[in-house]
Amino acid sequence: MKCALVDPDGVVRHAERHPTDAGRGPDAVVETILTVAEGLAGKARADGLTPIALGIVVPGVVDEARGVAVWSANVGFRDVPLRDLASTRLGLPTALGHDVRAGGLAEARLGAGRNTGHVLFVAIGTGIAAAHVVAGSAATGAHGAAGELGHILIRPDGPVCGCGRLGCLEALASASAVARRYAELTGTATDIGSASDDGSAAEPGPGRTMVTAAEVASRAAAGEEVATRVWRETVEALADGLATAQALFDVATIVLGGGLAQAGAGLFDPLRAALRDRLTFHREPHLVPAVLGDEAGCLGAALLALDQLETP
Ligand SMILES: [Zn+2]
């Protein structure tokens, strides 16, 4: 959990982090969120500040209008009325949002997409999710599930996705998919520093680490054959996904965040070219890396909190 006291102008006055420890179950996680939020409000008052609103963002499906965390695979939320729980506990107007949409909001208003109007923020990590931000506001969808770019169909005969279908974008191009594909093709599934003694192609077990997507990117840049192939396939899959997104949203700027976006020119140069190849009459968006890092969601939560003060 990334937490911060943020000024109305977006300046972070204080930041802290706490373990989510989702294994304790959703009730315990909710209690931790409320306790940490209370602590932050107390810290603000002790520092002579006046807390005016609270923003909380969580992963999964979020009904922002009702303030309910509808569903989350990772934390186990099922219809948790988090907004009302928090506003009752803290006595502050509270907004509840979605982590990636909040991150997109922050990048669009304070980060890499500022002043460009129509922005698509795409977070590429263990999964892939997106936020479509227009005029400083992220579309939530009718059921709180807009922006699931990771689950558009890219390869009908592709690998199975976490959602159960074959060939979703995130089954091909998420950071975990890249690492998995490289491990399959090299038959190692181990970190180079801890390669198996017998050279077997076992699944990575305890103590063994798969080569990360970032490492695959740097091996590709160094010309290693398998890494080059995996990286090329990744770029092609991402370009297919982004071309579909551009056909749907016609944005000025696509901001890529998450671990994979830190691959720099090794990702952005070939991806820009591959995206350009796929566009016909659609205008090419600016394709840029996120600049707010892993604090984007936290800043977005603050923006949501401030926004709801202006919306009666
Ligand atoms: Zn899927």
Side-chain angles (χ1 to χ4, degrees):
M1 292 169 28
K2 293 126 197 167
C3 322
L5 295 172
V6 183
D7 267 351
D9 55 6
V11 175
V12 175
R13 299 286 293 257
H14 167 76
E16 49 189 70
R17 291 177 184 233
H18 299 269
T20 304
D21 212 357
R24 298 173 301 150
D27 291 346
V29 172
V30 167
E31 184 52 37
T32 301
I33 291 170
L34 300 178
T35 304
V36 167
E38 267 183 322
L40 273 169
K43 156 100 182 134
R45 293 189 182 98
D47 290 352
L49 303 169
T50 306
I52 53 172
L54 169 65
I56 300 173
V57 304
V58 296
V61 177
V62 182
D63 186 333
E64 299 189 11
R66 292 194 301 131
V68 172
V70 176
W71 179 86
S72 155
N74 295 333
V75 190
F77 291 144
R78 297 284 183 280
D79 290 315
V80 179
L82 199 46
R83 183 183 64 198
D84 288 349
L85 289 172
S87 64
T88 301
R89 176 81 75 94
L90 273 79
L92 289 174
T94 301
L96 180 70
H98 177 262
D99 59 349
V100 173
R101 286 200 292 271
L105 203 63
E107 287 288 349
R109 282 162 59 173
L110 306 170
R114 68 187 175 281
N115 305 323
T116 68
H118 294 243
V119 175
L120 187 72
F121 172 69
V122 182
I124 309 172
T126 52
I128 296 178
H132 181 211
V133 185
V134 180
S137 175
T140 62
H143 313 95
E148 293 286 356
L149 194 68
H151 301 284
I152 60 173
L153 183 59
I154 293 293
R155 306 278 182 266
D157 55 350
V160 68
C161 177
C163 75
R165 194 176 64 174
L166 299 181
C168 289
L169 177 61
E170 75 175 41
L172 288 131
S174 65
S176 12
V178 172
R180 190 172 58 241
R181 179 79 176 134
Y182 183 81
E184 281 169 10
L185 287 179
T186 53
T188 54
T190 55
D191 185 76
I192 210 164
S194 59
S196 58
D197 296 329
D198 58 2
S200 70
E203 287 291 308
R208 290 182 174 176
T209 320
M210 279 208 286
V211 171
T212 63
E215 177 62 19
V216 173
S218 63
R219 290 182 189 193
E224 194 212 282
E225 196 176 332
V226 176
T228 300
R229 175 178 162 191
V230 171
W231 197 244
R232 189 183 61 241
E233 291 171 355
T234 303
V235 165
E236 285 171 356
L238 277 176
D240 285 337
L242 295 183
T244 297
Q246 185 63 355
L248 292 171
F249 302 127
D250 181 32
V251 292
T253 305
I254 295 179
V255 179
L256 296 190
L260 209 69
Q262 289 164 15
L267 173 67
F268 282 85
D269 289 353
L271 185 55
R272 282 192 191 100
L275 178 57
R276 194 173 301 138
D277 283 347
R278 283 159 173 77
L279 298 175
T280 55
F281 63 92
H282 287 103
R283 295 282 292 275
E284 184 183 344
H286 297 289
L287 187 62
V288 296
V291 297
L292 299 176
D294 67 358
E295 280 197 343
C298 200
L299 285 167
L303 292 175
L304 286 174
L306 291 166
D307 287 353
Q308 46 117 30
L309 294 178
E310 294 163 11
T311 320

